[in-house]
Amino acid sequence: MGRIAYVNGRFVPHAEAFVHIEDRGYQLADAVYEVWALFGGKLADAEGHFARLERSLAELQIDMPMSRAALTTVLREAVRRNRVQEGLVYLQISRGVAPRDHAFPHPPVRPAVVITVSRVDRVATEARAAKGVGVVTTPENRWGRCDIKTVGLLPNALAKQKARVAGAAEAWFVDELGFVTEGASSNAWIVDRDGVLRTRDTNANILRGVTRLSLLDVIRDAGLKVEERPFTPEEALEAKEAFITGAGTIVLPVVSVDGKPVGGGVVGPVASRLRRLYIERAKERAI
Ligand code: PLP
């Protein structure tokens, strides 16, 4: 059985899943998205992703296309039809289809909803996490509302491509003061020289990562010291460990920045432990 997508109320074969050319997401990036990790076919960190989705939509003045309960049912049905146990669910909601005009259509049109489900090979991702990955740095050049999870991801895509060309897995944006903001599709962390976990505060222009937020709980429960304070790439190079978080990467150890080793170039104990604790907790709470 092939992959199935959800497009505006219908489940269709993936190869036949199309949106209209005047979808405002396609033409103007006037759309938001969410990504849930799936553990055992269940949505991880469900509440956090729904809350952020509602917030992103509200910031763009787009109505929720259906209730949270109805959306949960549709997401689960998409997962069921794709028979995926370990994977990711992608949801995109655009303002809808309307004749091209920068200002919002008036009266409003129905938001357009797309859902896809993809499989993740957890054996391969665990092997990757055990080895760690490299990141490269790149100047922060995104807009001033990175807290909204919009599909306006061109700078992120260019940064990710820069990382790929350099043989790295992620790019860290660095602001004009020399501090890391976040990754192209992840939040950035270090375990500093004093053994304190550090990640940038969310007053800055970054996405409020749901995995980041859950991991803060895990860290506090484990009795580890954590500070929401920015760090520079130089501090990352001097740190004991570094890692990134996201629904796709979970907790992924970083062993180099711009080709220079972090933590002796090997995966450290804190990131590995946090990955394990996060996964245990996410599995228990997945719905
Ligand atoms: N920062 C950016 C720019 C992202 O795109 C993502 C996820 O895609 C994250 C951080 C991590 O967010 P979450 O943990 O909610 O997946």
Side-chain angles (χ1 to χ4, degrees):
M1 195 196 68
R3 288 178 73 192
I4 304 289
Y6 174 91
V7 186
N8 293 323
R10 291 173 56 225
F11 287 100
V12 292
H14 197 269
E16 293 161 29
F18 299 111
V19 292
H20 194 275
I21 55 165
E22 285 196 313
D23 186 291
R24 288 179 60 96
Y26 172 64
Q27 294 203 334
L28 301 162
D30 187 4
V32 303
Y33 74 107
E34 267 307 326
V35 180
W36 287 259
L38 284 173
F39 290 112
K42 292 184 179 172
L43 302 166
D45 275 333
E47 163 66 30
H49 288 285
F50 280 120
R52 187 174 60 191
L53 173 69
E54 287 167 1
R55 181 179 177 281
S56 294
L57 287 171
E59 290 293 320
L60 299 193
Q61 298 165 47
I62 299 175
D63 287 339
M64 265 286 266
M66 59 187 100
S67 70
R68 211 191 257 210
L71 192 51
T72 306
T73 304
V74 176
L75 292 170
R76 284 182 175 150
E77 182 59 16
V79 173
R80 194 190 67 77
R81 288 186 188 230
N82 283 279
R83 299 182 193 195
V84 170
Q85 291 290 305
E86 303 302 313
L88 294 167
V89 183
Y90 177 86
L91 164 73
Q92 179 170 318
I93 301 174
S94 84
R95 191 176 308 280
V97 175
R100 190 177 185 283
D101 185 5
H102 288 61
F104 302 169
H106 189 75
V109 292
R110 208 156 27 95
V113 183
V114 166
I115 299 168
T116 54
V117 183
S118 55
R119 213 173 287 278
V120 168
D121 178 349
R122 293 257 181 248
V123 175
T125 52
E126 286 310 313
R128 186 175 189 233
K131 267 181 65 190
V133 297
V135 301
V136 295
T137 56
T138 197
E140 178 63 87
N141 59 356
R142 297 175 300 160
W143 74 320
R145 291 303 308 271
C146 295
D147 59 311
I148 306 174
K149 198 165 169 66
T150 77
V151 300
L153 292 173
L154 186 56
N156 307 56
L158 295 177
K160 198 69 118 182
Q161 181 60 19
K162 178 178 173 181
R164 179 181 289 178
V165 168
E170 179 59 302
W172 279 356
F173 290 112
V174 177
D175 68 15
E176 70 279 13
L177 298 175
F179 291 106
V180 173
T181 52
E182 63 180 329
S185 63
S186 60
N187 289 111
W189 300 69
I190 57 171
V191 182
D192 74 12
R193 287 205 294 192
D194 302 323
V196 178
L197 281 146
R198 267 164 70 183
T199 190
R200 184 150 202 162
D201 61 277
T202 50
N203 300 320
N205 182 32
I206 65 169
L207 189 73
R208 297 164 189 193
V210 173
T211 317
R212 173 191 177 283
L213 202 58
S214 287
L215 194 68
L216 283 171
D217 280 346
V218 169
I219 289 167
R220 290 183 182 121
D221 287 352
L224 300 172
K225 269 205 211 150
V226 60
E227 283 178 17
E228 293 183 63
R229 186 158 69 86
F231 57 86
T232 63
E234 295 71 34
E235 285 179 292
L237 288 173
E238 289 166 9
K240 291 185 171 163
E241 297 182 36
F243 60 92
I244 54 177
T245 57
T249 43
I250 308 182
V251 177
L252 184 59
V254 167
V255 292
S256 73
V257 175
D258 290 333
K260 296 177 211 125
V262 175
V266 293
V267 170
V270 177
S272 314
R273 177 169 175 230
L274 290 178
R275 181 179 176 88
R276 186 169 46 76
L277 292 175
Y278 172 84
I279 292 174
E280 275 170 24
R281 180 181 185 277
K283 278 184 177 166
E284 273 166 29
R285 298 179 182 206
I287 63 161

